[in-house]
Amino acid sequence: MYQPMLLGHEQSVTALIDQKAFPSHWHSEIELLYCLSGELQAVVSGVSYPLTPGSLLVIGSAEEHSFPEGQKGARLLLVEMGFSFLGSEFSALAALRFTEPLLSPCQPDSPAAPLLPLLEDLLEWHGKPGPQAIWTCKSILFSLASELFQLPHDIDLPKIRKKRLETQLRCQAVFEYIRMHYRRSLPLEEVANAIGYEKSNFCKLFKRATQTSFHKYLNAYRIGIACRLLESGEGSMKSIGEQVGIPEPKSFSRIFRQVMGVTPTEYRERMTRYE
Amino acid sequence: MYQPMLLGHEQSVTALIDQKAFPSHWHSEIELLYCLSGELQAVVSGVSYPLTPGSLLVIGSAEEHSFPEGQKGARLLLVEMGFSFLGSEFSALAALRFTEPLLSPCQPDSPAAPLLPLLEDLLEWHGKPGPQAIWTCKSILFSLASELFQLPHDIDLPKIRKKRLETQLRCQAVFEYIRMHYRRSLPLEEVANAIGYEKSNFCKLFKRATQTSFHKYLNAYRIGIACRLLESGEGSMKSIGEQVGIPEPKSFSRIFRQVMGVTPTEYRERMTRYE
């Protein structure tokens, strides 16, 4: 039914993507999709919305969404923000049910009009290197988050979203612990103890929150970091494995392949080729 | 000679203060002082600057500064930002030596003119409750940080500031560890091991970076959190002690007094009285 997304480890995500079909899924992060070109049908909480250039889709926290098959696709600015970027105050935003998910920021009378300059600024600064660009993007993202409260909403969150959020909240400590300690060996028991859970309860909680196991999540997190290191072009395979807590080269290669479908060497070659 | 400031634990500090005399000290956080009323002589790296209403003083990372005795004092907007708020990119800002520390943002031809609307916005939003105000303040702070690169500077940092920064950088992992784990018992050995140091080297490093011992720092950090909990007016003394990792009530009261000069009960009474 849905495919989990492993985003708990990211502070925030801003990306330009060419979006085609994607199966139904949810995550605690709030998601904005700003359509730049093309056309795309999106399904949010069972309702279909047509994305066209200039339109903005706002997907609430823990809200199910998908993009049906057989579409040409669209170029989108994607923004995701959750607890790790917005802090504990995010729960106030996560509790909103947006009653008009599809908006037109370019129309001056739209409730989303104040978002337009922020989206335009984000398009300009996104992906640029250097501290100034990074801080400018963060500044824009915090302004965006603050503006989201002004969009049409009510606060009667469906029961299932409430439950998902409760579980996610309890798991934030786990994500933070992984973020702090992924560089070294990290036994499940240690993490469970650190947040005050017994092993078996911990496994149940984690599965409910992420729809995956602790080990799969940890592997995916480590390989995500490894990908960025590989893209930067620096460091040997051995050193990259060590930096993400998988010091044994054979294990690193095997786990990388499990997660990414290609070996680390192939991945690096592809990334270099497309540059 | 200088009094250490325990700020490593704070994400960022924004405060309206009535500043009088203060002994010479330094910290890795960059510091902005925007004068609202009154007059104050400030000494930065041995040079004296007169703060008058509308003037802005920019104090670089790890730069010594003080306010001599015998002054009437001034009302200031204080902003401090460092690694814990700006992330690892802060090192680029910390490496700047500001060649014109005293600026006049109100004058249109001043290099600090772009900071004026940000300072005014911060004055408006600072201290307001709720997620929107907090995110708006963060947005302003990231913009401020980004603008600071445009101020007149060079990059030949004095040797002593370079050295202080190196030590501070190594200690960031300790501050982060404390921030994550202060709620429970936290032996020095555990923290030393977690960042890959032997006990005795760890103590030397920590002392160099913070001018205080690990235990004093940890106590001050815990009591800082306890103060905020006391101000919020919720929770018994026992529960507050437990929340900051000092579950034994007698120890909590003793350590609180050591750090704050008053008992937790007196502190709470004072805070309530002034409301």
Side-chain angles (χ1 to χ4, degrees):
Chain A
M1 173 68 183
Y2 53 73
Q3 174 172 325
M5 289 193 58
L6 302 175
L7 288 164
H9 57 281
E10 288 291 353
Q11 273 237 312
S12 67
V13 177
T14 310
L16 284 173
I17 52 170
D18 291 308
Q19 185 73 60
K20 291 189 179 172
F22 202 89
S24 190
H25 66 291
W26 62 267
H27 40 75
S28 66
E29 289 79 7
I30 206 164
E31 182 168 333
L32 308 185
L33 294 169
Y34 183 49
C35 184
L36 304 173
S37 62
E39 281 180 23
L40 189 68
Q41 206 73 16
V43 179
V44 181
S45 290
V47 181
S48 198
Y49 299 96
L51 274 163
T52 52
S55 61
L56 174 73
L57 187 66
V58 180
I59 302 161
S61 175
E63 188 165 25
E64 219 149 320
H65 54 288
S66 64
F67 306 100
E69 297 276 349
Q71 306 192 66
K72 258 179 63 190
R75 186 147 186 82
L76 305 173
L77 173 69
L78 160 86
V79 178
E80 296 196 10
M81 298 181 278
F83 287 105
S84 52
F85 183 69
L86 296 171
S88 58
E89 289 84 17
F90 177 63
S91 47
L93 196 56
L96 305 187
R97 188 175 69 80
F98 295 102
T99 47
E100 291 179 34
L102 192 64
L103 297 150
S104 304
C106 342
Q107 286 170 10
D109 59 340
S110 161
L115 300 182
L116 186 64
L118 298 170
L119 293 166
E120 298 292 339
D121 279 355
L122 203 52
L123 277 168
E124 190 192 327
W125 284 96
H126 154 74
K128 284 194 184 159
Q132 275 184 281
I134 290 169
W135 294 340
T136 302
C137 284
K138 286 190 177 181
S139 173
I140 299 166
L141 291 174
F142 277 111
S143 287
L144 259 183
S146 177
E147 287 292 341
L148 290 177
F149 283 102
Q150 309 299 334
L151 296 182
H153 66 263
D154 62 30
I155 46 169
D156 65 331
L157 218 55
K159 237 181 188 169
I160 184 162
R161 281 182 60 191
K162 265 192 195 159
K163 232 177 162 169
R164 283 173 186 162
L165 280 174
E166 274 167 30
T167 317
Q168 286 282 336
L169 203 52
R170 261 180 274 162
C171 265
Q172 290 312 307
V174 184
F175 300 147
E176 182 83 4
Y177 202 90
I178 290 175
R179 204 168 65 79
M180 289 282 296
H181 301 286
Y182 71 89
R183 292 174 195 84
R184 62 169 172 82
S185 152
L186 199 52
L188 191 152
E189 287 80 1
E190 179 190 325
V191 185
N193 287 340
I195 64 155
Y197 270 80
E198 265 188 296
K199 194 178 157 178
S200 69
N201 285 335
F202 173 80
C203 290
K204 272 185 228 160
L205 169 75
F206 197 86
K207 185 102 194 189
R208 253 209 320 273
T210 64
Q211 297 107 53
T212 188
S213 75
F214 171 74
H215 282 114
K216 279 195 185 151
Y217 181 93
L218 180 59
N219 281 343
Y221 181 75
R222 285 171 159 159
I223 298 306
I225 306 272
C227 284
R228 272 183 260 161
L229 293 169
L230 285 165
E231 286 156 23
S232 80
E234 288 156 34
S236 67
M237 289 301 156
K238 190 167 159 41
S239 123
I240 289 176
E242 279 165 1
Q243 284 178 69
V244 299
I246 317 172
E248 217 279 297
K250 273 196 185 158
S251 306
F252 177 63
S253 191
R254 178 176 48 78
I255 294 169
F256 194 98
R257 203 183 178 132
Q258 269 169 16
V259 175
M260 299 300 293
V262 294
T263 68
T265 315
E266 286 165 352
Y267 183 84
R268 179 176 261 169
E269 278 169 13
R270 275 192 206 184
M271 286 301 133
T272 329
R273 207 187 311 148
Y274 287 134
E275 252 168 14
Chain B
M1 172 69 184
Y2 54 72
Q3 174 172 324
M5 288 194 58
L6 302 174
L7 288 164
H9 56 280
E10 287 291 352
Q11 272 237 313
S12 69
V13 176
T14 310
L16 284 172
I17 51 168
D18 292 307
Q19 185 73 61
K20 292 188 178 173
F22 202 89
S24 189
H25 65 290
W26 62 267
H27 39 75
S28 65
E29 289 78 8
I30 207 165
E31 182 169 333
L32 309 185
L33 294 170
Y34 183 49
C35 184
L36 304 173
S37 61
E39 282 182 19
L40 189 69
Q41 206 71 19
V43 179
V44 181
S45 290
V47 182
S48 198
Y49 300 95
L51 275 163
T52 52
S55 61
L56 174 73
L57 186 68
V58 181
I59 302 161
S61 175
E63 189 166 24
E64 220 150 319
H65 54 289
S66 64
F67 306 100
E69 297 276 349
Q71 307 192 63
K72 258 180 61 191
R75 185 147 187 82
L76 306 172
L77 173 69
L78 161 87
V79 178
E80 297 196 10
M81 296 181 281
F83 286 107
S84 52
F85 184 69
L86 296 171
S88 59
E89 290 84 17
F90 176 63
S91 47
L93 196 55
L96 306 187
R97 190 174 69 80
F98 296 101
T99 47
E100 290 178 36
L102 191 65
L103 297 151
S104 303
C106 341
Q107 287 170 11
D109 58 339
S110 161
L115 300 182
L116 186 64
L118 298 170
L119 293 167
E120 298 292 339
D121 279 354
L122 203 51
L123 277 168
E124 189 191 327
W125 284 95
H126 153 73
K128 284 194 184 159
Q132 275 183 281
I134 290 169
W135 293 341
T136 302
C137 284
K138 286 190 178 181
S139 173
I140 299 166
L141 291 174
F142 277 112
S143 287
L144 259 182
S146 177
E147 287 292 341
L148 290 177
F149 282 103
Q150 310 298 335
L151 296 183
H153 67 263
D154 62 28
I155 48 169
D156 65 332
L157 218 52
K159 235 182 190 170
I160 183 163
R161 280 181 60 189
K162 264 192 194 157
K163 236 184 160 163
R164 283 173 186 163
L165 280 173
E166 274 167 33
T167 318
Q168 286 283 335
L169 203 52
R170 260 180 276 161
C171 266
Q172 290 312 307
V174 185
F175 300 148
E176 181 85 2
Y177 201 89
I178 290 176
R179 206 168 64 77
M180 287 284 295
H181 300 286
Y182 71 89
R183 290 175 196 84
R184 61 168 172 83
S185 151
L186 200 51
L188 190 151
E189 287 79 2
E190 179 189 326
V191 184
N193 287 339
I195 66 155
Y197 270 81
E198 264 187 296
K199 194 178 158 180
S200 68
N201 285 335
F202 173 80
C203 290
K204 272 186 228 158
L205 168 76
F206 197 85
K207 185 100 194 191
R208 256 210 318 276
T210 63
Q211 298 104 53
T212 189
S213 75
F214 172 73
H215 281 114
K216 278 196 186 150
Y217 181 93
L218 179 60
N219 281 343
Y221 181 75
R222 285 171 160 160
I223 299 305
I225 307 273
C227 283
R228 271 182 260 160
L229 294 170
L230 285 167
E231 286 156 24
S232 81
E234 287 158 34
S236 65
M237 290 301 156
K238 192 168 156 43
S239 124
I240 289 176
E242 279 166 0
Q243 286 179 67
V244 300
I246 317 173
E248 216 278 297
K250 273 194 185 159
S251 307
F252 176 61
S253 191
R254 178 176 49 78
I255 293 168
F256 194 97
R257 203 182 177 131
Q258 269 169 17
V259 175
M260 299 300 293
V262 293
T263 67
T265 314
E266 285 164 353
Y267 183 86
R268 178 175 262 171
E269 276 169 13
R270 277 193 205 183
M271 285 301 133
T272 329
R273 210 187 309 146
Y274 288 134
E275 252 169 16

